[in-house]
RNA sequence: GUGGGUUUAGCUCAGUUGGCAGAGCACGAGGUUGUGGUCCUCGGGGUCGCGGGUUCGAGUCCCGUAAUCCACCCCA
């Protein structure tokens, strides 16, 4: 390896095929977001370091790529988009039409140890619905999230969405067996319960100094969120003790989801609490249903975040979905389209000794025409390519034309050139016809041939 | 930050107790200046991740280091 430079740890090079996959993912996110009435925004790739400390505290700083500029300002590459969004909204809150439905597709950076599904540079689709306290926001976010996964070819059995509500859960816990000052510890435990066996749980209880009555209850939670047959009974037993209004709230939300056809994807899930402190009510996670990948997406309500960033009090809900886990899941399911690099419309091949005629034909095919009266492109140029091989053997060039995916070929050769014609070959039907070797006429005839495909 | 696997051609990988650096695919040229992914021949390509050490001699053994994969910690 003569070149000793490598891409930095946790980053990716996007060669044409990989780039096409990334574009496909981003374009799908964008298309479905727009369809659901969200507007695209973006912000700076780096922000002042303080912006990230406000929300998350110093602990998080060690996972940031931070640096200092020549004016001694501390800056950091964005690890997520939400602080930027909160800053933008807080600054402009008075003048924005409401509700605010925004999405963004930023590249984000985290100085973590890379592993499966987690890199140091990634693309994360962010969706936020602000200035509306109604549960229709929850619904629309889930609707968009699910519709997007379906657009990628995933089906109900491929993923599941676990949801919870921190307000209700807190109410339920404190009215049953958790002292108010221990709610934080309870969340910490619930967040990890699904991954632990009995021994692991005892260790966790000791670490968080659980009183004995908590321990037996959490053991019951562990059964309820497991895949054991007893799970349903355990869940029913737990919820029987909960306040009536909490149980009614869960039922009502389930019924709302069922009304719009999302019932089969979503399930109330005790173990989904999300680590982040700023979530205030509804929270959810999208999990891969068939293997053990990391969460594909997650989010929730953060009604107090905008004021934290100096804006007015404003209800808000949002979620994020990263490209890394998503691509892994799409590959595992075999639903990534095979041909993502766009195939040319027309392939020009030439047996002429001079290459200039090829360039003339390419120019005519590729040129767009502008409609100045209507300020738009009247006719878009064709995607036209030619072979760069040295051979002038048509028999060798045709396979290249076919492999390119082009439906039509233009063949330039001495005999035809002498008669001032070129051949247009339909690569699908294999039929050929001769047309005048005038670049403009030729381009028109190629368009006509493409129409017939 | 911790532990384990891996690193040889553009890609996927062989490489024997330490003895001349290999295959397939891909790429390029020709066989065949004129018609469909075939076939045949030839070719370009490598400091064997990087740096030390042992040895007459290291892709191979030892030490260090980087990247990568997997699992922890963490996870916005």
């Amino acid at each position: 390896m003569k070149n000793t430079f490598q891409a930095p740890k946790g980053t990716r090079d996007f060669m044409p095929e990989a780039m096409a996959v990334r574009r496909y993912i981003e374009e799908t996110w964008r298309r479905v977001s727009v369809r659901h009435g969200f507007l695209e925004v973006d912000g700076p790739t780096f922000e002042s370091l303080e912006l990230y400390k406000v929300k998350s505290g110093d602990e998080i700083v060690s996972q940031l790529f931070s640096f200092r500029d020549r004016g001694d300002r501390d800056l950091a590459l964005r690890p997520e988009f939400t602080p930027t969004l909160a800053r933008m909204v807080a600054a402009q809150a008075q003048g924005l039409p409401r509700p605010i439905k925004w999405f963004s597709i930023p590249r984000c950076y985290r100085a973590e140890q890379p592993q499966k599904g987690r890199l140091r540079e990634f693309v994360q689709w962010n969706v936020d619905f602000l200035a509306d306290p109604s549960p229709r926001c929850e619904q629309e976010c889930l609707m968009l999230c699910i519709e997007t996964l379906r657009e990628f070819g995933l089906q109900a059995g491929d993923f599941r969405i676990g949801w919870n509500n921190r307000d209700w859960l807190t109410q339920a816990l404190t009215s049953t067996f958790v002292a108010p000052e221990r709610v934080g510890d309870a969340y910490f435990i619930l967040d990890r319960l699904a991954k632990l066996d009995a021994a692991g749980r005892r260790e966790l209880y000791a670490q968080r100094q659980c009183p004995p009555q908590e321990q037996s209850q959490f053991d019951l939670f562990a059964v309820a969120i497991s895949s054991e047959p007893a799970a349903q009974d355990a869940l029913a037993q737990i919820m029987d003790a909960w306040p009536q209004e909490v149980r009614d709230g869960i039922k009502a939300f389930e019924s709302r989801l069922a009304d719009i056809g999302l019932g089969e994807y979503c399930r109330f899930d005790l173990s989904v609490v999300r680590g982040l402190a700023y979530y205030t009510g509804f929270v959810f996670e999208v999990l891969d249903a068939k293997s053990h990948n990391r969460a594909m997406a997650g989010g929730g309500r953060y009604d107090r975040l905008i004021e934290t960033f100096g804006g007015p009090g404003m209800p808000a809900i949002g979620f994020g979905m990263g490209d890394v886990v998503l691509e892994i899941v799409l590959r595992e399911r075999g639903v990534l389209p095979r041909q993502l690099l766009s195939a040319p419309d027309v392939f020009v091949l030439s047996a002429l000794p001079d290459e200039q005629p090829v360039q003339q034909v390419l120019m005519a095919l590729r040129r767009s025409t502008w409609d100045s009266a209507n300020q738009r492109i009247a006719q878009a140029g064709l995607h036209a390519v030619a072979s760069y091989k040295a051979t002038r053997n048509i028999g060798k060039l045709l396979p290249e034309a076919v492999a390119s995916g082009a439906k039509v070929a233009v063949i330039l050769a001495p005999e035809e050139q002498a008669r001032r014609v070129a051949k247009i070959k339909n690569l699908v039907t294999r039929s050929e016809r001769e047309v005048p070797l005038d670049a403009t006429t030729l381009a028109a005839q190629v368009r006509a041939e493409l129409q017939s495909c």
Side-chain angles (χ1 to χ4, degrees), chain A residues 194-329:
Chain A
K195 284 192 269 185
L196 298 174
D197 59 6
R201 289 204 300 275
R202 277 195 299 278
E203 208 170 303
L204 183 61
Y205 297 156
Q207 183 202 336
R208 308 307 287 199
Q209 299 176 334
C210 281
Q213 77 273 14
E214 276 190 19
Q215 298 189 15
S216 57
Q217 286 295 313
F218 283 133
D219 281 338
L220 189 59
F221 274 63
V223 177
I225 62 176
S226 71
S227 52
E228 296 167 34
Q232 284 299 317
D233 291 342
L235 183 60
Q237 190 185 336
I238 288 167
M239 291 179 62
D240 273 346
W242 286 6
Q244 188 62 43
E245 55 177 307
V246 171
R247 285 190 281 166
D248 288 347
I250 292 169
K251 266 210 189 81
F253 193 78
E254 274 177 341
S255 131
R256 292 183 69 102
L257 292 178
D259 285 344
I260 55 171
L262 301 185
E264 62 176 320
Y265 301 97
C266 304
R267 201 178 68 186
F268 176 71
D269 187 335
L270 278 175
S271 67
V272 174
V273 296
R274 309 285 297 162
L276 218 55
Y278 65 71
Y279 286 120
T280 52
F282 176 80
V283 287
F284 77 100
E285 249 168 37
V286 182
L287 299 165
D288 180 2
K290 286 182 180 164
S291 48
H292 297 94
N293 287 308
R294 313 176 68 80
M296 297 164 71
R301 195 166 264 288
Y302 48 96
D303 286 343
R304 284 188 283 281
L305 192 68
I306 301 300
E307 43 190 317
T308 305
F309 285 88
M314 183 184 283
I317 179 172
F319 69 89
M321 179 184 292
D323 71 316
V324 183
V325 175
L326 178 65
E327 187 179 329
I328 291 171
V329 173

Side-chain angles (χ1 to χ4, degrees), chain A residues 144-434:
Chain A
L144 171 54
C145 184
I146 290 166
E147 202 45 45
T148 300
L149 293 172
R150 286 174 44 82
E151 190 103 351
F152 281 118
L154 298 179
Q155 297 171 356
D158 293 323
F159 64 94
R160 61 182 182 81
I161 296 182
W163 67 271
N164 200 341
N165 186 305
R166 287 193 172 198
D167 288 343
W168 298 344
L169 184 64
T170 300
Q171 202 180 332
L173 290 175
T174 53
S175 70
T176 49
F177 68 96
V178 178
E181 70 274 11
R182 289 199 47 78
V183 168
D185 288 301
Y187 276 11
F188 187 92
I189 290 164
L190 285 177
D191 203 18
R192 288 158 178 77
L193 220 43
K195 284 192 269 185
L196 298 174
D197 59 6
R201 289 204 300 275
R202 277 195 299 278
E203 208 170 303
L204 183 61
Y205 297 156
Q207 183 202 336
R208 308 307 287 199
Q209 299 176 334
C210 281
Q213 77 273 14
E214 276 190 19
Q215 298 189 15
S216 57
Q217 286 295 313
F218 283 133
D219 281 338
L220 189 59
F221 274 63
V223 177
I225 62 176
S226 71
S227 52
E228 296 167 34
Q232 284 299 317
D233 291 342
L235 183 60
Q237 190 185 336
I238 288 167
M239 291 179 62
D240 273 346
W242 286 6
Q244 188 62 43
E245 55 177 307
V246 171
R247 285 190 281 166
D248 288 347
I250 292 169
K251 266 210 189 81
F253 193 78
E254 274 177 341
S255 131
R256 292 183 69 102
L257 292 178
D259 285 344
I260 55 171
L262 301 185
E264 62 176 320
Y265 301 97
C266 304
R267 201 178 68 186
F268 176 71
D269 187 335
L270 278 175
S271 67
V272 174
V273 296
R274 309 285 297 162
L276 218 55
Y278 65 71
Y279 286 120
T280 52
F282 176 80
V283 287
F284 77 100
E285 249 168 37
V286 182
L287 299 165
D288 180 2
K290 286 182 180 164
S291 48
H292 297 94
N293 287 308
R294 313 176 68 80
M296 297 164 71
R301 195 166 264 288
Y302 48 96
D303 286 343
R304 284 188 283 281
L305 192 68
I306 301 300
E307 43 190 317
T308 305
F309 285 88
M314 183 184 283
I317 179 172
F319 69 89
M321 179 184 292
D323 71 316
V324 183
V325 175
L326 178 65
E327 187 179 329
I328 291 171
V329 173
L330 295 182
R331 282 189 196 284
E332 282 179 2
R333 295 292 179 279
V335 294
L336 265 186
R338 277 175 216 89
Q339 180 60 44
L340 284 172
L341 284 172
S342 73
D345 298 310
V346 51
F347 197 104
V348 179
L349 45 95
S350 166
L352 301 177
D354 180 15
E355 67 175 36
Q356 217 38 16
V358 176
Q359 294 284 307
Q360 286 167 359
V361 169
L362 285 174
M363 188 69 234
L365 291 169
R366 289 168 172 170
R367 171 166 281 167
S368 295
T369 53
W370 179 253
D371 176 355
S372 45
N374 294 304
Q375 296 276 297
R376 61 181 182 85
I377 290 170
Q379 186 174 50
L382 295 173
H383 179 173
V385 301
S387 177
Y388 293 98
K389 285 184 197 296
T391 182
R392 288 185 289 280
N393 184 337
I394 299 294
K396 280 192 187 302
L397 294 173
L398 267 174
E400 190 185 351
V402 173
S404 77
K407 293 199 168 62
V408 171
V410 171
I411 300 175
L412 305 175
E415 185 206 320
E416 285 82 353
Q417 190 188 37
R419 295 188 286 116
R420 304 301 304 156
V421 297
K423 277 183 178 168
I424 290 181
K425 184 179 179 80
N426 186 316
L427 293 172
V428 180
T429 64
R430 303 195 176 198
S431 66
E432 278 185 2
R433 60 197 174 88
E434 293 189 345

